Structures are given as C-alpha cells and as structure tokens.
Amino acid sequence: MGKYEVTFAQWDACLAGGGCKEYSPPDQGFGRGRRPVVGVSRADAQAYVDWLNLQAGKAVYRLPTEAEWEYAARAGTKTRYWWGEEFLQDHAGCRKCGPPRAGPWPVGSFAANPFGLQDLTGNVGQWVSDCWHKDYRGAPKDASSWGAGRCREQVVRGGAWTSEPDEQTVSSRGYYDPGVRHPSYGFRVARSP
C-alpha cells in the first residue's frame, strides 16, 4: 500500500507522460506539489494506475480493495482510530479537528500508523476498487475487490478535510458516483507482489 495518497506532483508526471488523459485537476487554490491530488474520478484514478503499470512494464499497481484499505488503516489495532478510541487533532486533517483549514494538508503531515502509512484517515477521501454495498453480507472472504468494474456507486474510504471527526474512524465508509470528480476525493495505490 502506498505510504501516502497520490500527490499532484505524481499526477502531473502522469499527465506529462501522456497517461492521465490530458486532465489536469484544479488544485482549488490550495497548491500542488506534495498535496494529495483531488477532484479526480474513479476512472481518473484507474488511468493513473494504468500509466504506472506501463512505467513498471507489468501490471503490479492497482487501487486497493476496501478490505485491504481497512486492514492497512487499522494497522493491527481494534479501536475506532488506529491511535485509540478518542480523536486526536494532530493525527488527521478534518473539519473541527483543530485550526480551520481550507484544504488538504501536504502528504505526510500527520503521524504514521504502526504499519508506517500516513493520512489514511482525514485529508482526502480515497477511492477503492469495490462497488458500494450497504453492509458486508456476501463480501468476498479473501479480501478481493467486491464487484469491481461497473458500479453505480463506488466505495470511498478515509474521510476528508471536509469531514467531521466521527467520519475519520478506520471503519467509516462512504460512496459516490464513480464518474464524478469530487473536490475532496483522491486515491492511493496498492502494489501486488
């Protein structure tokens, strides 16, 4: 799993390399560089992954599954947040989590979880590969993607800088139309062995 969300700098490299469909998402005045790319659809995220695989010369990169995302976010813990039961302001970026903020923080602005991953909760909502299901009844037992491909609604994990503290838990989940370029949604990449 990527240590951080994909950044604007990484997206811009894909764009310059011809892999991101000539789409330059607006940074909404927050800046580019090390800030997580936002305003990308699920299809945009897949275009980035496809370009990354082209650079690698084989298909090893992908969006994480919902189960993989939660496993990585929990990092072996069983609490509401990977750091405990109570929200801590210096561990995630969100609405009412500290000083007012008008956008996402640069990646790596908050403490890493026990697996060494950062920004899994807060900062930007992250597309995963699964289609939305209201609960886990019937979910794959092997942590594979559930219904990947044509979804009316795609799963988004992690909360965002626009979310409340209760939406930053490692079990919080949401969904959105995968074709919409939501201004607070981005993604991170997983790598298969």
Side-chain angles (χ1 to χ4, degrees):
M1 182 84 67
K3 182 174 183 174
Y4 310 113
E5 305 105 326
V6 171
T7 65
F8 269 106
Q10 291 167 315
W11 182 271
D12 290 341
C14 176
L15 183 61
C20 288
K21 300 182 182 180
E22 300 182 13
Y23 172 62
S24 181
D27 63 21
Q28 304 170 47
F30 307 136
R32 294 178 89 76
R34 289 188 47 81
R35 292 195 191 274
V37 67
V38 291
V40 292
S41 68
R42 164 63 170 83
D44 295 330
Q46 188 60 52
Y48 177 85
V49 167
D50 293 344
W51 174 78
L52 208 54
N53 283 323
L54 255 160
Q55 305 313 298
K58 56 186 175 178
V60 293
Y61 296 101
R62 59 188 170 72
L63 290 178
T65 69
E66 184 175 10
E68 290 171 329
W69 189 96
E70 186 162 331
Y71 177 81
R74 284 191 178 284
T77 65
K78 295 182 191 243
T79 52
R80 287 180 49 133
Y81 308 95
W82 65 259
W83 57 82
E85 292 295 337
E86 299 299 319
F87 186 80
L88 298 175
Q89 291 184 6
D90 61 344
H91 282 64
C94 66
R95 183 184 316 166
K96 299 181 184 173
C97 296
R101 181 92 178 164
W105 284 253
V107 297
S109 293
F110 300 97
N113 73 11
F115 286 173
L117 306 175
Q118 293 181 268
D119 311 321
L120 278 152
T121 54
N123 222 21
V124 301
Q126 298 167 36
W127 292 111
V128 295
S129 63
D130 300 60
C131 293
W132 172 256
H133 296 85
K134 69 178 182 172
D135 57 40
Y136 295 120
R137 279 179 263 168
K141 303 243 185 271
D142 63 357
S144 62
S145 187
W146 193 8
R150 297 178 171 242
C151 303
R152 278 192 15 212
E153 297 163 329
Q154 192 87 29
V155 177
V156 178
R157 296 297 300 257
W161 83 90
T162 56
S163 305
E164 302 290 328
D166 282 350
E167 296 168 317
Q168 308 300 321
T169 67
V170 292
S171 61
S172 292
R173 50 196 302 264
Y175 60 92
Y176 216 74
D177 179 322
V180 172
R181 291 172 168 153
H182 194 281
S184 64
Y185 290 173
F187 64 102
R188 83 176 54 224
V189 173
R191 186 174 195 267
S192 297

